[in-house]
Amino acid sequence: MALGKVIIVAGTPGTGKTTVARAISEKCGLRIINLSELAMEKGYITAYDESRSTYIIDEDRLVNDILNLAKSSEEHVLVQTHYPEIIPRDIVDRVFILRTHPLILEKRLLERGWSRRKINENVMAEILGVVASNAVNAFGSELIYEIDTSSTKPEDVAELICLAVNGLVKLEPGVKIDWLTMLSPEEVFKFEDYLGSEE
Ligand SMILES: Nc1ncnc2c1ncn2[C@@H]1O[C@H](COP(=O)(O)OP(=O)(O)OP(=O)(O)O)[C@@H](O)[C@H]1O
Ligand SMILES: [Mg+2]
C-alpha cells in the first residue's frame, strides 16, 4: 500500500470545508469524501445525542472504509471532516485546517438557523482552536497548515490548497491563529453559555 495519500480539509462547522472542497474538486480534480456524509450513507451511526443534536458515529467502520479507499486509489483522496484525528497518521499526507474569525463564524451559523446553544458550542470550539489542537496532537505540527477563510473567497482558498498539494506553493506548517488574542473578554463571554437552554 502506498502511504500518505489522504489530504484532510478540517475545521469547525461553518469554516468552509464543503464549499472549499467543492471548488477543489473542480480546480484540481481530487476525489472528495465527506466523513459525516459517508457515515450517514453507510449507516455507521451508533446513537443520536439529543442534547447536542448530533449523531454518534461508529468510527472503526468509518476508518476502515477510508483505509480501503486510500489503498485502492492511485490519486490523492481529499477527506473533509471536523474530527480529523480519527484518521490513521500513516495514510495522511497533510492537513489543511480552515479557520474563521469567531464573529464571522457566528454570522455564518446564524444564517443556517442554528440554535443559540449549537452556535455558541461551535464558536467557542473555534475560539479555543479545538479542531486545530486535536489535529496537532494526532498528526504533529509539521503536517498541519492553517488557512484563514474569514475574508477570502472559497475559490482562492481552493486555489491555494491545489497549489500546495501540487508542490507549487510552500506554506508554513503549524498552528499560529489564536482568536483569543483578537477578541475582547466580552466578545468571548458572549459564547460562554453553551450548556444553556435551546432558544
Ligand atoms: N473563504 C471562504 N471559504 C469557505 N467558505 C466561505 C468563505 N467565505 C465565505 N464562506 C461561506 O461560509 C460558509 C461555509 O459553509 P460550509 O458548509 O462550506 O462549511 P463546513 O465547514 O462544510 O460546515 P459543516 O462542518 O457544518 O459541514 C458558506 O456559506 C460559504 O459560502
Ligand atoms: Mg460541510
Side-chain angles (χ1 to χ4, degrees), residues 4-94:
K5 291 192 299 189
V6 173
I7 310 272
I8 300 178
V9 172
T12 308
T15 51
K17 302 177 292 295
T18 301
T19 311
V20 166
R22 215 170 275 143
I24 290 174
S25 113
E26 278 166 25
K27 270 183 207 296
C28 58
L30 281 183
R31 176 164 178 200
I32 313 285
I33 314 282
N34 182 323
L35 268 201
S36 302
E37 279 177 19
L38 183 66
M40 297 298 278
E41 274 165 30
K42 296 278 188 91
Y44 295 163
I45 307 294
T46 53
Y48 182 70
D49 181 343
E50 295 259 1
S51 66
R52 299 183 57 237
S53 315
T54 51
Y55 289 95
I56 313 290
I57 284 167
D58 182 340
E59 291 179 6
D60 291 344
R61 285 201 288 170
L62 194 54
V63 167
N64 200 37
D65 273 20
I66 299 297
L67 281 168
N68 287 335
L69 276 168
K71 264 188 221 167
S72 62
S73 176
E74 298 284 312
E75 310 280 328
H76 282 310
V77 174
L78 187 147
V79 170
Q80 51 163 310
T81 177
H82 57 268
Y83 40 89
E85 60 276 9
I86 71 168
I87 300 175
R89 190 184 191 280
D90 61 355
I91 63 162
V92 174
D93 182 82
R94 73 194 91 176

Side-chain angles (χ1 to χ4, degrees), residues 95-165:
V95 186
F96 295 95
I97 312 268
L98 306 189
R99 304 297 308 267
T100 305
H101 189 286
L103 301 180
I104 292 175
L105 185 63
E106 179 194 24
K107 273 199 199 122
R108 291 187 192 170
L109 298 181
L110 277 169
E111 277 164 20
R112 289 180 176 189
W114 279 15
S115 70
R116 192 71 238 176
R117 176 182 166 173
K118 206 167 169 187
I119 292 173
N120 284 5
E121 184 181 332
N122 283 286
V123 172
M124 194 51 110
E126 179 61 17
I127 291 175
L128 299 174
V130 172
V131 175
S133 150
N134 287 344
V136 168
N137 286 336
F139 308 112
S141 298
E142 65 284 2
L143 294 193
I144 311 294
Y145 300 89
E146 282 184 311
I147 302 182
D148 189 346
T149 73
S150 309
S151 50
T152 50
K153 285 190 282 182
E155 303 74 46
D156 294 341
V157 175
E159 177 79 29
L160 184 64
I161 292 179
C162 289
L163 290 172
V165 166

